[in-house]
């Protein structure tokens, strides 16, 4: 008998959650490595940003907070953004070839 797509997905989710528990890490950081940059575009409190940053940095990945300075339409990827965090310059350099409008405002603090 063939297993449905939904059942396969549920089995995979249960297996993944069990693996995360054995690792003892936050789900957010399971597959992050130093070559990853986690870009946080959420509107949350500075303390929450700091907690997310700690979690990501603990995994070895890099963290950038981003403030989107207007509605996405009509400018789409050219909507102005402000970047913060130690990895903000690397993020800016990575996405500059795509015409994104980004300014690094802070490299020494998050939140």
């Amino acid at each position: 008998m063939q297993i449905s797509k939904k059942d396969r997905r549920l089995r995979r989710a249960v297996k993944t959650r069990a693996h995360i528990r054995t690792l003892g890490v936050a789900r957010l950081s399971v597959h992050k490595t130093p070559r990853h940059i986690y870009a946080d575009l959420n509107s949350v409190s500075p303390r929450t940003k700091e907690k997310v940053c700690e979690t990501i940095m603990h995994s070895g990945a890099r963290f950038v907070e981003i403030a989107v300075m207007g509605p996405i339409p009509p400018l789409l990827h050219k909507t102005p953004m402000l970047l913060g965090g130690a990895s903000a310059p690397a993020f800016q350099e990575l996405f500059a070839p795509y015409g994104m409008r980004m300014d690094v405002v802070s490299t020494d603090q998050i939140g």
Side-chain angles (χ1 to χ4, degrees), residues 46-79:
R47 182 64 192 132
T48 301
K49 289 255 186 193
E50 290 167 359
K51 287 181 183 179
V52 172
C53 179
E54 289 171 18
T55 301
I56 295 300
M57 299 291 280
H58 182 70
S59 71
R62 298 171 286 169
F63 181 86
V64 176
E65 67 173 326
I66 301 175
V68 181
M69 302 308 293
I72 298 301
L75 298 176
L76 303 176
H77 68 289
K78 294 185 180 184
T79 301

PDB file of all heavy atoms in Angstrom, residues 46-79:
ATOM      1  N   PRO A  46      13.185  45.152  20.271  1.00  0.00           N
ATOM      2  CA  PRO A  46      14.638  44.980  20.245  1.00  0.00           C
ATOM      3  C   PRO A  46      15.094  43.740  21.021  1.00  0.00           C
ATOM      4  O   PRO A  46      16.006  43.041  20.600  1.00  0.00           O
ATOM      5  CB  PRO A  46      15.167  46.257  20.888  1.00  0.00           C
ATOM      6  CG  PRO A  46      14.115  47.272  20.601  1.00  0.00           C
ATOM      7  CD  PRO A  46      12.812  46.516  20.680  1.00  0.00           C
ATOM      8  N   ARG A  47      14.457  43.458  22.149  1.00  0.00           N
ATOM      9  CA  ARG A  47      14.837  42.282  22.958  1.00  0.00           C
ATOM     10  C   ARG A  47      14.597  40.990  22.172  1.00  0.00           C
ATOM     11  O   ARG A  47      15.416  40.072  22.218  1.00  0.00           O
ATOM     12  CB  ARG A  47      14.073  42.265  24.282  1.00  0.00           C
ATOM     13  CG  ARG A  47      14.456  41.114  25.176  1.00  0.00           C
ATOM     14  CD  ARG A  47      15.919  41.195  25.620  1.00  0.00           C
ATOM     15  NE  ARG A  47      16.301  39.943  26.236  1.00  0.00           N
ATOM     16  CZ  ARG A  47      17.396  39.260  25.968  1.00  0.00           C
ATOM     17  NH1 ARG A  47      18.273  39.717  25.103  1.00  0.00           N
ATOM     18  NH2 ARG A  47      17.653  38.132  26.552  1.00  0.00           N
ATOM     19  N   THR A  48      13.492  40.928  21.444  1.00  0.00           N
ATOM     20  CA  THR A  48      13.216  39.736  20.640  1.00  0.00           C
ATOM     21  C   THR A  48      14.261  39.579  19.544  1.00  0.00           C
ATOM     22  O   THR A  48      14.747  38.474  19.296  1.00  0.00           O
ATOM     23  CB  THR A  48      11.800  39.818  20.032  1.00  0.00           C
ATOM     24  OG1 THR A  48      10.849  39.921  21.096  1.00  0.00           O
ATOM     25  CG2 THR A  48      11.481  38.604  19.188  1.00  0.00           C
ATOM     26  N   LYS A  49      14.637  40.682  18.901  1.00  0.00           N
ATOM     27  CA  LYS A  49      15.687  40.635  17.875  1.00  0.00           C
ATOM     28  C   LYS A  49      16.994  40.119  18.482  1.00  0.00           C
ATOM     29  O   LYS A  49      17.700  39.329  17.864  1.00  0.00           O
ATOM     30  CB  LYS A  49      15.936  42.013  17.271  1.00  0.00           C
ATOM     31  CG  LYS A  49      14.821  42.504  16.396  1.00  0.00           C
ATOM     32  CD  LYS A  49      15.202  42.397  14.960  1.00  0.00           C
ATOM     33  CE  LYS A  49      14.091  43.055  14.145  1.00  0.00           C
ATOM     34  NZ  LYS A  49      14.190  42.763  12.765  1.00  0.00           N
ATOM     35  N   GLU A  50      17.321  40.582  19.691  1.00  0.00           N
ATOM     36  CA  GLU A  50      18.542  40.144  20.345  1.00  0.00           C
ATOM     37  C   GLU A  50      18.515  38.641  20.620  1.00  0.00           C
ATOM     38  O   GLU A  50      19.513  37.953  20.424  1.00  0.00           O
ATOM     39  CB  GLU A  50      18.748  40.917  21.648  1.00  0.00           C
ATOM     40  CG  GLU A  50      19.092  42.383  21.435  1.00  0.00           C
ATOM     41  CD  GLU A  50      18.995  43.205  22.699  1.00  0.00           C
ATOM     42  OE1 GLU A  50      18.643  42.657  23.765  1.00  0.00           O
ATOM     43  OE2 GLU A  50      19.272  44.414  22.630  1.00  0.00           O
ATOM     44  N   LYS A  51      17.355  38.122  21.061  1.00  0.00           N
ATOM     45  CA  LYS A  51      17.224  36.687  21.325  1.00  0.00           C
ATOM     46  C   LYS A  51      17.388  35.873  20.048  1.00  0.00           C
ATOM     47  O   LYS A  51      18.072  34.847  20.041  1.00  0.00           O
ATOM     48  CB  LYS A  51      15.869  36.384  21.964  1.00  0.00           C
ATOM     49  CG  LYS A  51      15.746  36.814  23.398  1.00  0.00           C
ATOM     50  CD  LYS A  51      14.381  36.455  23.930  1.00  0.00           C
ATOM     51  CE  LYS A  51      14.181  36.918  25.345  1.00  0.00           C
ATOM     52  NZ  LYS A  51      12.839  36.586  25.840  1.00  0.00           N
ATOM     53  N   VAL A  52      16.763  36.331  18.969  1.00  0.00           N
ATOM     54  CA  VAL A  52      16.888  35.632  17.684  1.00  0.00           C
ATOM     55  C   VAL A  52      18.346  35.659  17.236  1.00  0.00           C
ATOM     56  O   VAL A  52      18.899  34.648  16.785  1.00  0.00           O
ATOM     57  CB  VAL A  52      15.965  36.252  16.616  1.00  0.00           C
ATOM     58  CG1 VAL A  52      16.241  35.662  15.242  1.00  0.00           C
ATOM     59  CG2 VAL A  52      14.503  36.060  16.994  1.00  0.00           C
ATOM     60  N   CYS A  53      18.979  36.802  17.373  1.00  0.00           N
ATOM     61  CA  CYS A  53      20.390  36.944  16.995  1.00  0.00           C
ATOM     62  C   CYS A  53      21.262  35.971  17.788  1.00  0.00           C
ATOM     63  O   CYS A  53      22.118  35.289  17.213  1.00  0.00           O
ATOM     64  CB  CYS A  53      20.857  38.375  17.209  1.00  0.00           C
ATOM     65  SG  CYS A  53      22.598  38.647  16.794  1.00  0.00           S
ATOM     66  N   GLU A  54      21.050  35.877  19.091  1.00  0.00           N
ATOM     67  CA  GLU A  54      21.818  34.951  19.926  1.00  0.00           C
ATOM     68  C   GLU A  54      21.642  33.515  19.452  1.00  0.00           C
ATOM     69  O   GLU A  54      22.614  32.753  19.367  1.00  0.00           O
ATOM     70  CB  GLU A  54      21.390  35.079  21.388  1.00  0.00           C
ATOM     71  CG  GLU A  54      21.827  36.359  22.060  1.00  0.00           C
ATOM     72  CD  GLU A  54      21.201  36.531  23.431  1.00  0.00           C
ATOM     73  OE1 GLU A  54      20.707  35.528  24.015  1.00  0.00           O
ATOM     74  OE2 GLU A  54      21.185  37.670  23.928  1.00  0.00           O
ATOM     75  N   THR A  55      20.411  33.140  19.141  1.00  0.00           N
ATOM     76  CA  THR A  55      20.120  31.783  18.680  1.00  0.00           C
ATOM     77  C   THR A  55      20.846  31.483  17.370  1.00  0.00           C
ATOM     78  O   THR A  55      21.469  30.439  17.217  1.00  0.00           O
ATOM     79  CB  THR A  55      18.598  31.592  18.492  1.00  0.00           C
ATOM     80  OG1 THR A  55      17.948  31.838  19.736  1.00  0.00           O
ATOM     81  CG2 THR A  55      18.272  30.197  18.016  1.00  0.00           C
ATOM     82  N   ILE A  56      20.760  32.412  16.443  1.00  0.00           N
ATOM     83  CA  ILE A  56      21.396  32.224  15.138  1.00  0.00           C
ATOM     84  C   ILE A  56      22.911  32.198  15.277  1.00  0.00           C
ATOM     85  O   ILE A  56      23.596  31.338  14.711  1.00  0.00           O
ATOM     86  CB  ILE A  56      20.955  33.332  14.157  1.00  0.00           C
ATOM     87  CG1 ILE A  56      19.455  33.219  13.866  1.00  0.00           C
ATOM     88  CG2 ILE A  56      21.764  33.273  12.877  1.00  0.00           C
ATOM     89  CD1 ILE A  56      19.030  31.920  13.244  1.00  0.00           C
ATOM     90  N   MET A  57      23.468  33.124  16.037  1.00  0.00           N
ATOM     91  CA  MET A  57      24.919  33.200  16.202  1.00  0.00           C
ATOM     92  C   MET A  57      25.463  31.942  16.902  1.00  0.00           C
ATOM     93  O   MET A  57      26.555  31.490  16.598  1.00  0.00           O
ATOM     94  CB  MET A  57      25.311  34.452  16.987  1.00  0.00           C
ATOM     95  CG  MET A  57      24.895  35.756  16.319  1.00  0.00           C
ATOM     96  SD  MET A  57      25.777  36.122  14.828  1.00  0.00           S
ATOM     97  CE  MET A  57      27.275  36.767  15.509  1.00  0.00           C
ATOM     98  N   HIS A  58      24.672  31.386  17.819  1.00  0.00           N
ATOM     99  CA  HIS A  58      25.079  30.163  18.521  1.00  0.00           C
ATOM    100  C   HIS A  58      25.252  28.999  17.540  1.00  0.00           C
ATOM    101  O   HIS A  58      26.084  28.119  17.741  1.00  0.00           O
ATOM    102  CB  HIS A  58      24.056  29.802  19.602  1.00  0.00           C
ATOM    103  CG  HIS A  58      24.420  28.596  20.385  1.00  0.00           C
ATOM    104  ND1 HIS A  58      25.459  28.574  21.280  1.00  0.00           N
ATOM    105  CD2 HIS A  58      23.890  27.350  20.401  1.00  0.00           C
ATOM    106  CE1 HIS A  58      25.558  27.377  21.819  1.00  0.00           C
ATOM    107  NE2 HIS A  58      24.615  26.611  21.298  1.00  0.00           N
ATOM    108  N   SER A  59      24.491  29.020  16.450  1.00  0.00           N
ATOM    109  CA  SER A  59      24.591  27.952  15.442  1.00  0.00           C
ATOM    110  C   SER A  59      25.793  28.153  14.527  1.00  0.00           C
ATOM    111  O   SER A  59      26.126  27.284  13.738  1.00  0.00           O
ATOM    112  CB  SER A  59      23.315  27.905  14.604  1.00  0.00           C
ATOM    113  OG  SER A  59      23.248  29.029  13.742  1.00  0.00           O
ATOM    114  N   GLY A  60      26.422  29.329  14.610  1.00  0.00           N
ATOM    115  CA  GLY A  60      27.557  29.620  13.754  1.00  0.00           C
ATOM    116  C   GLY A  60      27.208  30.481  12.562  1.00  0.00           C
ATOM    117  O   GLY A  60      28.081  30.966  11.857  1.00  0.00           O
ATOM    118  N   ALA A  61      25.913  30.667  12.305  1.00  0.00           N
ATOM    119  CA  ALA A  61      25.487  31.488  11.172  1.00  0.00           C
ATOM    120  C   ALA A  61      25.615  32.968  11.514  1.00  0.00           C
ATOM    121  O   ALA A  61      25.836  33.344  12.662  1.00  0.00           O
ATOM    122  CB  ALA A  61      24.043  31.162  10.804  1.00  0.00           C
ATOM    123  N   ARG A  62      25.481  33.793  10.497  1.00  0.00           N
ATOM    124  CA  ARG A  62      25.553  35.249  10.677  1.00  0.00           C
ATOM    125  C   ARG A  62      24.132  35.826  10.700  1.00  0.00           C
ATOM    126  O   ARG A  62      23.213  35.231  10.154  1.00  0.00           O
ATOM    127  CB  ARG A  62      26.372  35.859   9.551  1.00  0.00           C
ATOM    128  CG  ARG A  62      27.812  35.342   9.562  1.00  0.00           C
ATOM    129  CD  ARG A  62      28.596  35.741   8.362  1.00  0.00           C
ATOM    130  NE  ARG A  62      28.149  34.953   7.207  1.00  0.00           N
ATOM    131  CZ  ARG A  62      28.492  35.209   5.956  1.00  0.00           C
ATOM    132  NH1 ARG A  62      29.271  36.232   5.678  1.00  0.00           N
ATOM    133  NH2 ARG A  62      28.075  34.453   4.965  1.00  0.00           N
ATOM    134  N   PHE A  63      23.988  36.988  11.328  1.00  0.00           N
ATOM    135  CA  PHE A  63      22.666  37.599  11.525  1.00  0.00           C
ATOM    136  C   PHE A  63      22.667  39.044  11.039  1.00  0.00           C
ATOM    137  O   PHE A  63      23.619  39.788  11.282  1.00  0.00           O
ATOM    138  CB  PHE A  63      22.314  37.575  13.018  1.00  0.00           C
ATOM    139  CG  PHE A  63      20.961  38.155  13.334  1.00  0.00           C
ATOM    140  CD1 PHE A  63      19.830  37.378  13.280  1.00  0.00           C
ATOM    141  CD2 PHE A  63      20.832  39.493  13.679  1.00  0.00           C
ATOM    142  CE1 PHE A  63      18.580  37.903  13.577  1.00  0.00           C
ATOM    143  CE2 PHE A  63      19.596  40.038  13.972  1.00  0.00           C
ATOM    144  CZ  PHE A  63      18.464  39.240  13.920  1.00  0.00           C
ATOM    145  N   VAL A  64      21.592  39.421  10.348  1.00  0.00           N
ATOM    146  CA  VAL A  64      21.393  40.805   9.901  1.00  0.00           C
ATOM    147  C   VAL A  64      19.949  41.180  10.199  1.00  0.00           C
ATOM    148  O   VAL A  64      19.026  40.420   9.893  1.00  0.00           O
ATOM    149  CB  VAL A  64      21.647  40.950   8.381  1.00  0.00           C
ATOM    150  CG1 VAL A  64      21.331  42.357   7.921  1.00  0.00           C
ATOM    151  CG2 VAL A  64      23.064  40.588   8.030  1.00  0.00           C
ATOM    152  N   GLU A  65      19.760  42.330  10.828  1.00  0.00           N
ATOM    153  CA  GLU A  65      18.389  42.832  10.978  1.00  0.00           C
ATOM    154  C   GLU A  65      18.143  43.846   9.868  1.00  0.00           C
ATOM    155  O   GLU A  65      19.037  44.609   9.493  1.00  0.00           O
ATOM    156  CB  GLU A  65      18.168  43.444  12.356  1.00  0.00           C
ATOM    157  CG  GLU A  65      18.934  44.699  12.639  1.00  0.00           C
ATOM    158  CD  GLU A  65      18.528  45.331  13.954  1.00  0.00           C
ATOM    159  OE1 GLU A  65      17.351  45.246  14.339  1.00  0.00           O
ATOM    160  OE2 GLU A  65      19.410  45.918  14.593  1.00  0.00           O
ATOM    161  N   ILE A  66      16.933  43.820   9.337  1.00  0.00           N
ATOM    162  CA  ILE A  66      16.606  44.689   8.210  1.00  0.00           C
ATOM    163  C   ILE A  66      15.298  45.413   8.486  1.00  0.00           C
ATOM    164  O   ILE A  66      14.313  44.807   8.873  1.00  0.00           O
ATOM    165  CB  ILE A  66      16.471  43.866   6.908  1.00  0.00           C
ATOM    166  CG1 ILE A  66      17.783  43.139   6.621  1.00  0.00           C
ATOM    167  CG2 ILE A  66      16.069  44.751   5.746  1.00  0.00           C
ATOM    168  CD1 ILE A  66      17.720  42.217   5.429  1.00  0.00           C
ATOM    169  N   ALA A  67      15.321  46.724   8.271  1.00  0.00           N
ATOM    170  CA  ALA A  67      14.107  47.536   8.351  1.00  0.00           C
ATOM    171  C   ALA A  67      13.738  47.943   6.933  1.00  0.00           C
ATOM    172  O   ALA A  67      14.523  48.593   6.241  1.00  0.00           O
ATOM    173  CB  ALA A  67      14.352  48.769   9.215  1.00  0.00           C
ATOM    174  N   VAL A  68      12.556  47.536   6.505  1.00  0.00           N
ATOM    175  CA  VAL A  68      12.061  47.894   5.178  1.00  0.00           C
ATOM    176  C   VAL A  68      11.387  49.253   5.309  1.00  0.00           C
ATOM    177  O   VAL A  68      10.475  49.424   6.107  1.00  0.00           O
ATOM    178  CB  VAL A  68      11.073  46.834   4.643  1.00  0.00           C
ATOM    179  CG1 VAL A  68      10.573  47.195   3.265  1.00  0.00           C
ATOM    180  CG2 VAL A  68      11.733  45.458   4.625  1.00  0.00           C
ATOM    181  N   MET A  69      11.835  50.226   4.531  1.00  0.00           N
ATOM    182  CA  MET A  69      11.438  51.611   4.733  1.00  0.00           C
ATOM    183  C   MET A  69      10.263  52.076   3.857  1.00  0.00           C
ATOM    184  O   MET A  69      10.153  53.248   3.559  1.00  0.00           O
ATOM    185  CB  MET A  69      12.648  52.521   4.501  1.00  0.00           C
ATOM    186  CG  MET A  69      13.826  52.200   5.394  1.00  0.00           C
ATOM    187  SD  MET A  69      13.389  52.118   7.139  1.00  0.00           S
ATOM    188  CE  MET A  69      12.978  53.807   7.459  1.00  0.00           C
ATOM    189  N   GLY A  70       9.401  51.180   3.492  1.00  0.00           N
ATOM    190  CA  GLY A  70       8.232  51.557   2.711  1.00  0.00           C
ATOM    191  C   GLY A  70       7.514  50.322   2.219  1.00  0.00           C
ATOM    192  O   GLY A  70       7.951  49.197   2.450  1.00  0.00           O
ATOM    193  N   PRO A  71       6.408  50.526   1.520  1.00  0.00           N
ATOM    194  CA  PRO A  71       5.678  49.378   0.974  1.00  0.00           C
ATOM    195  C   PRO A  71       6.491  48.730  -0.153  1.00  0.00           C
ATOM    196  O   PRO A  71       7.201  49.420  -0.888  1.00  0.00           O
ATOM    197  CB  PRO A  71       4.381  49.986   0.443  1.00  0.00           C
ATOM    198  CG  PRO A  71       4.708  51.412   0.195  1.00  0.00           C
ATOM    199  CD  PRO A  71       5.759  51.793   1.191  1.00  0.00           C
ATOM    200  N   ILE A  72       6.390  47.434  -0.273  1.00  0.00           N
ATOM    201  CA  ILE A  72       7.133  46.718  -1.309  1.00  0.00           C
ATOM    202  C   ILE A  72       6.636  47.099  -2.708  1.00  0.00           C
ATOM    203  O   ILE A  72       7.432  47.482  -3.551  1.00  0.00           O
ATOM    204  CB  ILE A  72       7.081  45.198  -1.076  1.00  0.00           C
ATOM    205  CG1 ILE A  72       7.739  44.846   0.270  1.00  0.00           C
ATOM    206  CG2 ILE A  72       7.758  44.442  -2.214  1.00  0.00           C
ATOM    207  CD1 ILE A  72       9.185  45.267   0.403  1.00  0.00           C
ATOM    208  N   PRO A  73       5.337  46.997  -2.995  1.00  0.00           N
ATOM    209  CA  PRO A  73       4.900  47.548  -4.287  1.00  0.00           C
ATOM    210  C   PRO A  73       4.918  49.068  -4.194  1.00  0.00           C
ATOM    211  O   PRO A  73       4.586  49.596  -3.140  1.00  0.00           O
ATOM    212  CB  PRO A  73       3.481  47.040  -4.455  1.00  0.00           C
ATOM    213  CG  PRO A  73       3.282  45.989  -3.412  1.00  0.00           C
ATOM    214  CD  PRO A  73       4.279  46.262  -2.333  1.00  0.00           C
ATOM    215  N   PRO A  74       5.304  49.789  -5.130  1.00  0.00           N
ATOM    216  CA  PRO A  74       5.613  49.424  -6.513  1.00  0.00           C
ATOM    217  C   PRO A  74       7.109  49.203  -6.758  1.00  0.00           C
ATOM    218  O   PRO A  74       7.498  48.797  -7.844  1.00  0.00           O
ATOM    219  CB  PRO A  74       5.149  50.643  -7.291  1.00  0.00           C
ATOM    220  CG  PRO A  74       5.449  51.789  -6.362  1.00  0.00           C
ATOM    221  CD  PRO A  74       5.194  51.241  -4.974  1.00  0.00           C
ATOM    222  N   LEU A  75       7.968  49.455  -5.766  1.00  0.00           N
ATOM    223  CA  LEU A  75       9.416  49.392  -6.000  1.00  0.00           C
ATOM    224  C   LEU A  75       9.992  47.976  -5.933  1.00  0.00           C
ATOM    225  O   LEU A  75      11.115  47.745  -6.372  1.00  0.00           O
ATOM    226  CB  LEU A  75      10.150  50.291  -4.999  1.00  0.00           C
ATOM    227  CG  LEU A  75       9.819  51.780  -5.065  1.00  0.00           C
ATOM    228  CD1 LEU A  75      10.534  52.535  -3.961  1.00  0.00           C
ATOM    229  CD2 LEU A  75      10.174  52.345  -6.418  1.00  0.00           C
ATOM    230  N   LEU A  76       9.240  47.048  -5.331  1.00  0.00           N
ATOM    231  CA  LEU A  76       9.671  45.655  -5.181  1.00  0.00           C
ATOM    232  C   LEU A  76      11.037  45.553  -4.502  1.00  0.00           C
ATOM    233  O   LEU A  76      11.214  46.088  -3.422  1.00  0.00           O
ATOM    234  CB  LEU A  76       9.648  44.944  -6.535  1.00  0.00           C
ATOM    235  CG  LEU A  76       8.286  44.967  -7.248  1.00  0.00           C
ATOM    236  CD1 LEU A  76       8.391  44.336  -8.617  1.00  0.00           C
ATOM    237  CD2 LEU A  76       7.223  44.289  -6.414  1.00  0.00           C
ATOM    238  N   HIS A  77      12.014  44.920  -5.129  1.00  0.00           N
ATOM    239  CA  HIS A  77      13.308  44.704  -4.484  1.00  0.00           C
ATOM    240  C   HIS A  77      14.123  45.992  -4.348  1.00  0.00           C
ATOM    241  O   HIS A  77      15.147  46.007  -3.672  1.00  0.00           O
ATOM    242  CB  HIS A  77      14.122  43.649  -5.249  1.00  0.00           C
ATOM    243  CG  HIS A  77      14.565  44.090  -6.606  1.00  0.00           C
ATOM    244  ND1 HIS A  77      13.690  44.238  -7.651  1.00  0.00           N
ATOM    245  CD2 HIS A  77      15.781  44.439  -7.072  1.00  0.00           C
ATOM    246  CE1 HIS A  77      14.351  44.649  -8.718  1.00  0.00           C
ATOM    247  NE2 HIS A  77      15.629  44.781  -8.403  1.00  0.00           N
ATOM    248  N   LYS A  78      13.658  47.077  -4.955  1.00  0.00           N
ATOM    249  CA  LYS A  78      14.373  48.358  -4.843  1.00  0.00           C
ATOM    250  C   LYS A  78      13.822  49.238  -3.719  1.00  0.00           C
ATOM    251  O   LYS A  78      14.227  50.385  -3.571  1.00  0.00           O
ATOM    252  CB  LYS A  78      14.337  49.088  -6.176  1.00  0.00           C
ATOM    253  CG  LYS A  78      15.130  48.344  -7.235  1.00  0.00           C
ATOM    254  CD  LYS A  78      15.211  49.100  -8.520  1.00  0.00           C
ATOM    255  CE  LYS A  78      16.032  48.287  -9.522  1.00  0.00           C
ATOM    256  NZ  LYS A  78      16.243  48.991 -10.755  1.00  0.00           N
ATOM    257  N   THR A  79      12.913  48.695  -2.920  1.00  0.00           N
ATOM    258  CA  THR A  79      12.415  49.422  -1.753  1.00  0.00           C
ATOM    259  C   THR A  79      13.585  49.656  -0.795  1.00  0.00           C
ATOM    260  O   THR A  79      14.346  48.725  -0.514  1.00  0.00           O
ATOM    261  CB  THR A  79      11.320  48.596  -1.049  1.00  0.00           C
ATOM    262  OG1 THR A  79      10.258  48.353  -1.976  1.00  0.00           O
ATOM    263  CG2 THR A  79      10.770  49.330   0.160  1.00  0.00           C
TER     264      THR A  79
END
